[in-house]
């Protein structure tokens, strides 16, 4: 497979955010919902996470056009106990639910040491680090996971059952960027496979099986077949855990149920998200930060090691222009 000649256009982050806001308003979102999602998309572009930035906008628009997503959503939050919060996303995008519920989650963890948020009825198509990093910036440990629709074969199988089921953890550091990992439990996120298919790149071994159930390195074949979990049966177990947290614990749908309910308009399915905040000051005591900083220093002193999240944080410091695929830009502008 030869690399296609890829043409890009330069846009500033504020141009990206304004463009997304205008498109979402035109496509039926009110200001609050358009702003929340525009912020999420601009954050992904800022960090160079192209598979979860503007690339996702056609899917978001499709789900507004089909009437699946409520662009006027007004999430409702209920305290089940002082540390358990339930958010009904009102069939809106996850970004809006986050803006309503994360400050309340953080407040509960600061006071009580731990808090848990289950979001139901939201449409999540984005990276998870914005929610966990928000918590870490408030000196809390953040954990989040969500399921999707089946596209990953459990270990031993050749048919899809798990979603790409991402999981993220963010660890606070007051004098440094938080340490954040955010990863699909598939060997590769589906958005990355779609981008490789678009741009004509072969993929490494272990990403997926083709339509015939045989291992393939061709992203187009894998998109007709199934993705594989990372790390064989170990990643498969973690993907199962994500299903249980994001659906079993929130009371929302498992990936296979999400598939049954979805109208396949190209946007995200309705589902749940599990988010937890932990307060190390209360749980570990006041020495926690120095203790963990020593750990990170030791880890970083090993040749070849870098901390997860550091690539994105470096991208954030780059100039304010971002390269956007020209075809994608034309496509999203057609929604105006
Ligand atoms: P990657 O494989 O690119 O990265 C996974 C994690 O590993 C990142 O935190 C990354 O940090 C870290 N990492 C990568 N290389 C190294 C290294 N050499 N040393 C240390 N850490 C490293 O991500 P995925 O492709 O798995 O996922 C991409 C995105 O897709 C995620 O944001 C995820 O939330 C999202 N997603 C969303 C879904 C949804 O339904 N909403 C479904 C599936 C995925 P860094 O960023 O610094 O490189």
């Amino acid at each position: 497979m030869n690399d296609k000649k890829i043409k890009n256009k330069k846009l500033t982050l504020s141009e990206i955010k304004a463009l997304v806001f205008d498109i979402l308003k035109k496509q039926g979102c009110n200001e609050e919902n358009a702003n929340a999602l525009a912020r999420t998309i601009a954050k992904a572009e800022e960090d160079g996470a192209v598979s979860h930035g503007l690339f996702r906008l056609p899917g978001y628009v499709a789900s507004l056009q089909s009437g699946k997503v409520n662009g006027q959503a007004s999430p409702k939050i209920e305290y089940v106990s002082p540390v358990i919060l339930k958010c009904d996303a009102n069939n809106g995008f996850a970004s809006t639910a986050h803006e309503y519920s994360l400050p309340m989650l953080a407040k509960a963890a600061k006071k009580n040491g731990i808090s848990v948020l289950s979001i139901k009825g939201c449409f999540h198509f984005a990276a998870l680090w914005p929610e966990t990093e928000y918590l870490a910036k408030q000196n809390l440990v953040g954990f989040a996971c969500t399921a999707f629709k089946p596209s990953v074969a459990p270990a031993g199988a050749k048919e899809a059952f798990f979603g790409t089921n991402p999981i993220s953890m963010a660890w606070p550091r007051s004098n440094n960027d938080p340490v954040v990992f955010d990863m699909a439990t598939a060997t590769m996120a589906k958005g990355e496979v779609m981008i490789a298919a678009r741009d004509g790149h072969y993929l490494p071994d272990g990403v997926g099986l083709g339509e015939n159930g045989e291992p393939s390195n061709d992203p187009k074949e894998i998109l007709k077949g199934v993705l594989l979990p990372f790390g064989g049966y170990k990643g498969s177990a973690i993907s199962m855990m994500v299903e249980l947290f994001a659906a079993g614990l929130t009371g929302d749908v498992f990936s296979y149920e999400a598939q049954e309910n979805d109208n396949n308009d190209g946007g995200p399915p309705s589902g749940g998200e599990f988010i937890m905040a932990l307060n190390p000051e209360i749980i570990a005591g006041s020495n926690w930060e120095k203790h963990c900083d020593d750990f990170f220093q030791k880890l970083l002193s090993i040749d070849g090691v870098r901390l997860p999240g550091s690539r994105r944080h470096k991208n954030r410091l780059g100039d304010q222009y971002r390269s956007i695929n020209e075809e994608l830009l034309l496509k999203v502008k057609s929604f105006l």
Side-chain angles (χ1 to χ4, degrees), residues 52 124 126-128 148 164 166 181-184 306 309-312:
H52 290 81
H124 204 310
L128 296 181
F148 198 69
T164 44
F181 77 73
D182 179 13
M183 52 177 232
R306 75 155 170 95
S310 59
R311 178 193 56 86
R312 282 191 308 95

Side-chain angles (χ1 to χ4, degrees), residues 8-306:
N8 290 319
K9 284 258 187 211
K10 297 260 184 221
L11 260 74
T12 64
L13 286 172
S14 45
E15 283 168 340
I16 293 171
K17 190 160 160 276
L19 175 65
V20 175
F21 176 83
D22 289 345
I23 290 169
L24 292 171
K25 279 279 310 229
K26 179 82 197 287
Q27 296 293 331
C29 283
N30 63 13
E31 282 208 6
E32 184 176 59
N33 282 273
N35 252 323
L37 187 50
R39 271 193 280 273
T40 300
I41 289 179
K43 275 184 199 160
E45 293 292 346
E46 181 177 27
D47 282 14
V50 286
S51 60
H52 290 81
L54 272 179
F55 179 70
R56 292 286 181 193
L57 190 53
Y60 286 122
V61 167
S63 56
L64 285 166
Q65 287 178 345
S66 74
K68 185 169 79 180
V69 172
N70 176 8
Q72 317 278 317
S74 185
K76 304 250 172 321
I77 297 145
E78 174 200 349
Y79 281 96
V80 179
S81 80
V83 294
I84 312 286
L85 285 86
K86 274 191 181 177
C87 173
D88 170 356
N90 193 212
N91 288 323
F93 293 123
S95 308
T96 315
H98 295 149
E99 296 208 350
Y100 274 69
S101 54
L102 287 177
M104 294 167 75
L105 181 73
K107 200 169 163 199
K110 278 183 198 164
K111 183 163 178 219
N112 301 297
I114 185 166
S115 61
V116 163
L117 169 68
S118 62
I119 302 179
K120 279 179 82 168
C122 76
F123 292 81
H124 204 310
F125 215 22
L128 296 181
W129 60 260
E131 39 265 44
T132 57
E133 207 168 307
Y134 170 89
L135 295 168
K137 292 253 169 81
Q138 306 203 39
N139 261 346
L140 299 167
V141 179
F143 172 87
C145 61
T146 187
F148 198 69
K149 290 196 286 187
S151 52
V152 177
K158 292 190 174 192
E159 70 185 70
F161 185 69
F162 298 141
T164 44
N165 295 0
I167 184 165
S168 175
M169 195 269 321
W171 193 272
R173 291 199 302 162
S174 50
N175 298 319
N176 276 296
D177 287 322
V179 175
V180 189
F181 77 73
D182 179 13
M183 52 177 232
T185 48
T187 304
M188 191 174 272
K190 195 168 182 184
E192 301 289 344
V193 179
M194 289 162 79
I195 286 181
R198 181 192 73 187
D199 295 348
H201 300 157
Y202 270 125
L203 296 173
D205 291 346
V207 173
L209 310 176
E211 207 174 5
N212 56 6
E214 295 303 317
S216 175
N217 302 92
D218 179 344
K220 288 189 178 151
E221 278 303 308
I222 294 173
L223 289 172
K224 287 188 231 153
V226 285
L227 299 172
L228 292 172
F230 78 92
Y233 62 87
K234 297 186 181 182
S236 187
I238 293 179
S239 192
M240 180 185 73
M241 180 196 80
V242 171
E243 296 275 346
L244 291 169
F245 275 61
L249 259 185
T250 64
D252 209 306
V253 289
F254 291 104
S255 292
Y256 78 93
E257 294 170 318
Q259 174 79 75
E260 286 163 9
N261 298 342
D262 194 40
N263 65 3
N264 295 314
D265 57 11
S270 175
E273 181 176 8
F274 176 86
I275 308 182
M276 182 164 60
L278 300 158
N279 186 341
E281 194 74 24
I282 294 181
I283 298 172
S286 57
N287 191 40
W288 71 273
E289 187 155 25
K290 157 121 189 37
H291 189 203
C292 296
D293 260 344
D294 290 350
F295 163 80
F296 288 127
Q297 292 315 327
K298 273 248 185 255
L299 178 61
L300 282 171
S301 72
I302 302 169
D303 205 24
V305 171
R306 75 155 170 95

